[in-house]
Amino acid sequence: MLSITSQYLARYRHLTAGDRTDDLLPVTGAQRRFVLVRSLDRSGRPDVVPMFFAFPSGTVDVERLRAAARGVAARHTALRSRPAVVRGTPVLRAGEPDVPVTRPAPAPGERPADTLRRALAAWDPDGPPLRLFLVRDDRGRDDDVLAVVLDHAVCDGRSLTRIVEELGTAYAESTTASPPAPEETEAELAAYREAVLLQLAAEERADTAEAAAYWADRLRAVREQAPTARPERVPAGALPSGSAEALLPAHDDTVPFPELLDACRSAARALYGPGNVVPLGYPWGGRPAGAEPVVGCFLNTVVFPAATGHGPAPEVTADAWWDDLDRADAPFDAVVSAARSAGSGWTGRLDGLLTVDDDRRRPPLRLAGVEGREIHVDGRTVRGPFAVSVTQGAELRLRMVWDRAVLDDRTANEAFEALADALRPPGRPVD
């Protein structure tokens, strides 16, 4: 029997046979996951990745920014393509670069963060994958805030770093830069297609009966859980999500990933009660060997079954995690299929997400010599009951956000305290 990846490749090759479908590009397993997640959302809302930068009021030239953003998109196939499903087959459809730069109007007395939340909540799922929003504070009390927002189906962490660098360079050169020549565009498209096919070849090699048996056994007990304390309703005037943050001592040059997973297990225990197995996801992976360093989405989402009892010991978690990484190239949809074959009944929804970033490797956004200060805009709609982000820098910045329609604030804050307590050194209070 063909694996899921092999079946996908066969359908894609049948769909694109001939010369009339050069604009239809294959998608990686990660991109198929985002298509699946979008299909599970009643609104069809895609996962979006926003980056927010504060600039001194009045320093960003909108027309110059628009030209710079369009120039960046013109040079990258993924940024001028839109996810689509053609005859039941997920693809990217390449097109012309279209990057809207919107200045959403604030309501009377509204702060820039509130305006941006409204703008992102109104995201059109059928629009371009890269969009920019600039909110100016006409009161002159705050910085202007620029949001650079992407559909997650066209980017990963490595791509974000490159986009930030190139946007700054293009802004500086916007009066002298010329659009890429047709042959450059074609060459980049060919490099992008080849990178995706190399990624799919790696996933096809990993999508084996042995890997399916491993994940079936690993995820057999996973269920989509109901939290122990659900809110009766979101309080009037409350933002869609809550958040909490703590600063902890950094761990030299690496983030202790097994310890993070154990800490997330502690949070899941507080949220879902003991004795459950909660599916947590985290991104892993990068460009396939031999691929050009193209912008795109090449990560995979690995599932960690967080048993909410008081064991196993941390070293057991570490050993299991290393075993997971040996099969981390198995695409997400194949892992879900394996779990369902074992009787778990799991649809692929994740109860929690864990992401880890190193802010020492991400450059600031500079526009004509002015450095933007990266900020958070809290209160946005989140995917899933809760998500944990860890940023490695001079300190370890720990953040947790949660969906207030699913989790009440008191229980979520208790879960965050359990999360932080599991990571901070003994005797150190939460900052």
Side-chain angles (χ1 to χ4, degrees):
M1 180 176 177
L2 290 177
S3 68
I4 286 180
T5 307
S6 298
Q7 292 176 50
Y8 171 74
L9 281 166
R11 291 199 307 271
Y12 172 76
R13 288 166 181 150
H14 178 74
L15 178 67
T16 56
D19 299 325
R20 296 175 298 171
T21 53
D22 287 346
D23 64 328
L24 298 184
L25 299 165
V27 295
T28 65
Q31 291 169 314
R32 293 201 307 272
R33 175 190 170 245
F34 287 122
V35 172
L36 170 64
V37 169
R38 182 170 172 172
S39 72
L40 292 172
D41 189 303
R42 292 181 180 178
S43 68
R45 177 175 56 92
D47 278 67
V48 297
V49 183
M51 298 178 285
F52 302 100
F53 302 94
F55 285 90
S57 182
T59 60
V60 179
D61 184 310
V62 173
E63 291 307 316
R64 191 172 180 179
L65 180 65
R66 182 176 288 112
R70 188 176 292 117
V72 172
R75 286 171 168 77
H76 298 291
T77 297
L79 300 185
R80 56 183 183 85
S81 301
R82 303 188 188 189
V85 178
V86 179
R87 299 179 200 166
T89 305
V91 293
L92 281 190
R93 189 186 294 276
E96 295 299 317
D98 178 15
V99 185
V101 180
T102 306
R103 294 180 58 187
E110 191 174 54
R111 297 175 66 88
D114 301 318
T115 308
L116 284 168
R117 275 191 290 266
R118 284 196 298 105
L120 292 184
W123 180 279
D124 177 5
D126 297 321
L130 170 61
R131 307 176 209 181
L132 277 62
F133 302 85
L134 179 65
V135 177
R136 287 183 165 161
D137 178 28
D138 294 330
R139 303 170 301 169
R141 300 175 187 173
D142 296 309
D143 292 330
D144 297 339
V145 180
L146 171 63
V148 180
V149 192
L150 294 106
D151 187 324
H152 209 335
V154 303
C155 73
D156 53 21
R158 190 177 301 182
S159 298
L160 296 179
T161 297
R162 186 167 175 186
I163 290 166
V164 167
E165 289 177 331
E166 292 190 10
L167 184 60
T169 300
Y171 188 91
E173 299 174 348
S174 63
T175 58
T176 59
S178 57
E183 56 269 22
E184 292 179 282
T185 301
E186 288 300 318
E188 200 282 333
L189 186 146
Y192 177 82
R193 179 186 282 111
E194 178 64 16
V196 173
L197 289 174
L198 286 171
Q199 176 69 22
L200 286 168
E203 293 174 6
E204 190 173 28
R205 291 191 297 272
D207 193 358
T208 63
E210 183 274 335
Y214 174 85
W215 287 114
D217 183 64
R218 185 90 164 98
L219 304 177
R220 188 183 306 276
V222 165
R223 299 288 188 277
E224 290 164 11
Q225 308 293 336
T228 56
R230 295 177 64 93
E232 293 184 5
R233 61 181 178 83
V234 178
L239 296 172
S241 63
S243 65
E245 181 175 299
L247 292 176
L248 305 175
H251 289 68
D252 299 325
D253 292 327
T254 60
V255 176
F257 207 88
E259 286 88 339
L260 292 178
L261 292 174
D262 262 336
C264 287
R265 187 202 309 274
S266 298
R269 183 185 305 122
L271 294 174
Y272 296 96
N276 295 306
V277 180
V278 177
L280 305 179
Y282 60 89
W284 201 263
R287 302 300 181 278
E292 294 292 327
V294 295
V295 166
C297 182
F298 294 92
L299 52 81
N300 192 23
T301 299
V302 184
V303 185
F304 174 70
T308 60
H310 292 281
E315 57 270 18
V316 176
T317 297
D319 288 343
W321 177 64
W322 281 111
D323 288 342
D324 289 351
L325 294 189
D326 288 338
R327 289 99 175 163
D329 286 339
F332 183 85
D333 47 8
V335 171
V336 175
S337 178
R340 290 178 64 83
S341 72
S344 78
W346 179 44
T347 66
R349 294 183 188 273
L350 296 170
D351 287 326
L353 291 167
L354 170 64
T355 59
V356 180
D357 293 306
D358 189 340
D359 68 356
R360 298 165 299 182
R361 298 179 182 176
R362 179 184 291 182
L365 176 60
R366 293 180 183 273
L367 299 180
V370 180
E371 183 175 310
R373 174 172 49 87
E374 190 162 7
I375 63 172
H376 288 286
V377 172
D378 289 324
R380 297 178 289 110
T381 300
V382 296
R383 178 77 75 188
F386 77 102
V388 174
S389 64
V390 180
T391 304
Q392 172 85 23
E395 294 178 285
L396 205 64
R397 184 178 297 275
L398 180 68
R399 289 176 56 82
M400 179 173 138
V401 297
W402 58 89
D403 185 346
R404 281 189 164 133
V406 178
L407 302 171
D408 71 275
D409 285 351
R410 180 185 61 80
T411 304
N413 276 295
E414 289 175 356
F416 178 74
E417 290 174 8
L419 174 76
D421 192 53
L423 289 171
R424 70 173 181 265
R428 180 184 174 97
V430 175
D431 294 332

